[in-house]
Amino acid sequence: MSKTYSIAVIPGDGTGPEVVREARKVLDAAASKGGFKLAYTEFDFGGERYLKTGETLPDSAIDEFRKFDSMFLGAIGHPEVKPGILETGILLKIRFALDQYINLRPVKLYPNVDTPLKDKGPEDIDFVVIRENTGGIYTSIGGATRVGTPDEIATQLMVYDRRTVDRCLKYAFQLKKRRNALNPKYAAKPITLIHKRNVLTHCGDLWYRAFEEMGSKQYPELKRDYNHVDAANMWFVKNPEWFDVAVTENLFGDIITDLGAMIQGGLGVASGGNINPEGVSMFEPMGGSAPKYAGQNVINPMAAIGAAMMMLDALGESKSSRAVETSMMAAMKKMKSQAAGRMGYSTTEVGDMVASQI
Ligand code: IPM
Ligand code: MN
């Protein structure tokens, strides 16, 4: 009997459904080649549903999601919904409730993909950022008072506990070990902690000590490095080849991974995973709902296909995951650009190209 993986799919808003459709096409091709099955269950959470019913994501949905092997998200965000409602009510709620404590963001420039970095190529831009995904400022501990008056005060605290830091670092060190075994080019580079310990003397110190302790005691064979986040921003642009595995806290990770997306060729190709290594993970393209391109069949599905590739790897189907990547690379070679509307192909055609070569 072939194995069947159950996948909860949230196509979501804007171009979400279009890119999910293409990712599923590729997943199905990979499954039939790889001898396993994928059983999808679609959920209609997103802006449209919220506007109709006033509901973002009920707690009962979280209990449903727990039963799946994995989740796949298109995009959340609607021009008629005030910013913050869908983000916190759907995306962040899922991340927190399912304890998806790792945000895994590969920053890999594929051949024939344009980077805005002059004189940098695929051999220079090939690293992963591990962003802690449940703590920090995103816990939203704090408050506001005298709102709307000249004396208004607002606070939102960066909150970390040792356990949250340690479990994130453990994932990062283990990934670094796996990558080093894969490629001597990776092994030559350090694992880099990114923070701001020259100013954030409490949180930064916690992360730094935890990193040094775990690294020296449990992974002495791995080279370690540390960058302040502002400096890391410069090095991502000037010397991206210095990085292999970079690990950081939540908000810093949010910011530097958008920079990472740009140097790898833009939102059309950037994918991410919200991972609970012991539970249910969720994979998504980084691009957002791109309302101005919705319904035109011009959006690039490559980021969603990349997220599908990551999902297969997380499910343990690493051979199929690699087959998807090879096929993505072949399609990218033919495409004129990775930008929406300028690919030289429609959304559907890009999905067909990748799926047909698996
Ligand atoms: C991301 C997004 C989210 C975040 C938003 C939409 C809540 O920017 O996944 O990087 O800040 O984490
Ligand atoms: Mn972000």
Side-chain angles (χ1 to χ4, degrees):
M1 263 260 306
S2 73
K3 184 149 194 194
T4 302
Y5 300 101
S6 59
I7 312 294
V9 181
I10 308 176
D13 301 315
T15 51
E18 293 167 65
V19 298
V20 165
R21 180 189 71 212
E22 301 313 314
R24 278 181 59 166
K25 198 186 273 176
V26 172
L27 281 168
D28 288 336
S32 79
K33 189 84 196 280
F36 58 93
K37 290 201 176 74
L38 295 158
Y40 309 97
T41 306
E42 285 212 3
F43 294 86
D44 67 350
F45 300 113
E48 289 300 330
R49 181 185 165 123
Y50 172 75
L51 289 171
K52 262 188 243 135
T53 67
E55 184 175 62
T56 48
L57 185 89
D59 294 342
S60 59
I62 296 289
D63 292 329
E64 278 282 299
F65 295 155
R66 286 186 209 284
K67 298 177 196 149
F68 287 86
D69 292 314
S70 192
M71 298 179 65
F72 197 83
L73 173 71
I76 294 291
H78 196 291
E80 284 152 47
V81 181
K82 196 177 141 217
I85 295 177
L86 302 172
E87 292 86 339
T88 52
I90 301 177
L91 184 58
L92 296 181
K93 182 167 179 173
I94 295 171
R95 288 179 183 171
F96 292 154
L98 297 179
D99 207 15
Q100 292 165 342
Y101 62 87
I102 298 296
N103 193 315
L104 183 64
R105 281 276 301 106
V107 179
K108 183 167 179 176
L109 177 67
Y110 287 106
N112 197 42
V113 174
D114 285 335
T115 175
L117 300 189
K118 191 167 147 279
D119 302 331
K120 298 291 177 189
E123 63 289 349
D124 302 307
I125 303 173
D126 183 5
F127 61 96
V128 293
V129 178
I130 291 161
R131 160 186 173 191
E132 199 291 321
N133 211 28
T134 57
I137 285 182
Y138 278 72
T139 48
S140 225
I141 294 178
T145 188
R146 302 174 201 154
V147 176
T149 76
D151 300 320
E152 178 166 352
I153 298 171
T155 63
Q156 216 142 7
L157 301 180
M158 179 178 277
V159 179
Y160 270 105
D161 60 277
R162 181 69 189 248
R163 190 184 68 94
T164 300
V165 172
D166 274 344
R167 67 182 185 174
C168 177
L169 291 174
K170 179 179 168 196
Y171 186 91
F173 277 114
Q174 288 183 342
L175 179 64
K176 180 64 176 136
K177 226 173 134 164
R178 281 207 306 278
R179 281 174 68 89
N180 283 7
L182 224 61
N183 189 334
K185 192 185 103 181
Y186 299 152
K189 301 179 193 183
I191 174 172
T192 309
L193 172 68
I194 295 175
H195 212 292
K196 182 73 184 171
R197 74 186 186 103
N198 52 345
V199 175
L200 303 183
T201 48
H202 306 301
C203 280
D205 192 50
L206 168 59
W207 275 88
Y208 187 74
R209 270 184 295 107
F211 180 71
E212 284 301 303
E213 235 176 87
M214 190 177 288
S216 62
K217 289 202 183 119
Q218 296 179 45
Y219 305 93
E221 73 281 13
L222 303 180
K223 294 187 198 62
R224 296 189 300 280
D225 198 2
Y226 169 85
N227 282 177
H228 295 319
V229 64
D230 47 352
N233 261 315
M234 299 191 318
W235 306 136
F236 270 25
V237 171
K238 190 166 176 291
N239 295 102
E241 68 280 5
W242 287 352
F243 293 93
D244 180 43
V245 170
V247 56
T248 190
E249 71 87 43
N250 207 340
L251 181 63
F252 293 158
D254 178 48
I255 297 166
I256 65 173
T257 54
D258 269 16
L259 179 57
M262 286 303 119
I263 68 173
Q264 77 184 114
L267 291 174
V269 293
S271 326
N274 302 278
I275 295 176
N276 177 341
E278 297 87 32
V280 182
S281 303
M282 176 170 70
F283 297 85
E284 54 172 333
M286 300 302 294
S289 60
K292 75 170 181 185
Y293 295 117
Q296 298 168 41
N297 206 27
V298 297
I299 195 77
N300 190 355
M302 208 52 93
I305 295 169
M309 163 189 83
M310 292 176 72
M311 183 173 82
L312 289 175
D313 191 51
L315 287 170
E317 298 293 344
S318 46
K319 206 174 142 206
S320 296
S321 176
R322 283 196 301 277
V324 171
E325 185 175 43
T326 306
S327 185
M328 281 168 64
M329 286 165 70
M332 286 171 170
K333 281 226 170 76
K334 294 193 191 141
M335 293 165 71
K336 284 206 198 90
S337 156
Q338 297 301 317
R342 287 187 273 140
M343 304 183 292
Y345 297 92
S346 67
T347 308
T348 318
E349 285 167 335
V350 173
D352 287 342
M353 247 193 314
V354 181
S356 67
Q357 296 200 42
I358 289 175

